[in-house]
Amino acid sequence: MAKVMRRYMVKVKLPSELNDDFLNLIPAQRKRVNQMMREGDILNYSLSMDRSQLWIVMQGETENKIMDGLATFPLIRYMSVEVVELMFHESPLLTLQPISLN
């Protein structure tokens, strides 16, 4: 039986002051996010211009699976997280483009 993959919007608040420990963890965070994107767990990852918020669209079987994935983030201890299940998430990158035979 095929697994039902649901999509979730993860809203993250980041600390207003970034200490050296936080800044030193950014490369590891980017590496983990890139890995999760390659694996299809993260569909979008966006940071506000003032660096106070992240928005992450993730897919997984359950909200608990999403939380398990977030727990692997090197910066998780600095994040205040809210997870909301989405009815749908559409993106041009997620749709198949028509094939032209010309």
Side-chain angles (χ1 to χ4, degrees):
M1 183 172 193
K3 295 178 184 177
V4 175
M5 298 301 272
R6 297 184 167 123
R7 294 192 177 152
Y8 298 84
M9 172 64 71
V10 180
K11 299 187 277 184
V12 178
K13 290 199 184 265
L14 297 170
S16 56
E17 297 196 23
L18 308 179
N19 63 29
D20 287 341
D21 184 48
F22 182 99
L23 296 172
N24 290 332
L25 289 171
I26 290 174
Q29 176 74 16
R30 289 298 313 154
K31 183 177 179 180
R32 180 66 183 131
V33 166
N34 289 338
Q35 177 186 10
M36 291 177 77
M37 289 180 102
R38 282 191 308 273
E39 294 170 353
D41 297 324
I42 293 178
L43 303 177
N44 297 92
Y45 188 84
S46 302
L47 177 65
S48 65
M49 182 62 84
D50 67 2
R51 298 181 178 139
S52 67
Q53 296 181 76
L54 283 169
W55 298 275
I56 309 165
V57 178
M58 297 180 71
Q59 66 179 0
E61 295 175 59
T62 65
E63 185 175 331
N64 285 340
K65 295 281 187 180
I66 297 301
M67 294 303 290
D68 290 346
L70 294 171
T72 68
F73 283 3
L75 290 173
I76 192 63
R77 67 178 172 265
Y78 296 100
M79 297 177 165
S80 173
V81 176
E82 179 185 355
V83 178
V84 178
E85 186 173 359
L86 299 174
M87 176 65 76
F88 62 86
H89 171 71
E90 294 184 16
S91 169
L93 298 175
L94 299 176
T95 59
L96 295 174
Q97 299 298 319
I99 298 173
S100 173
L101 299 176
N102 293 337

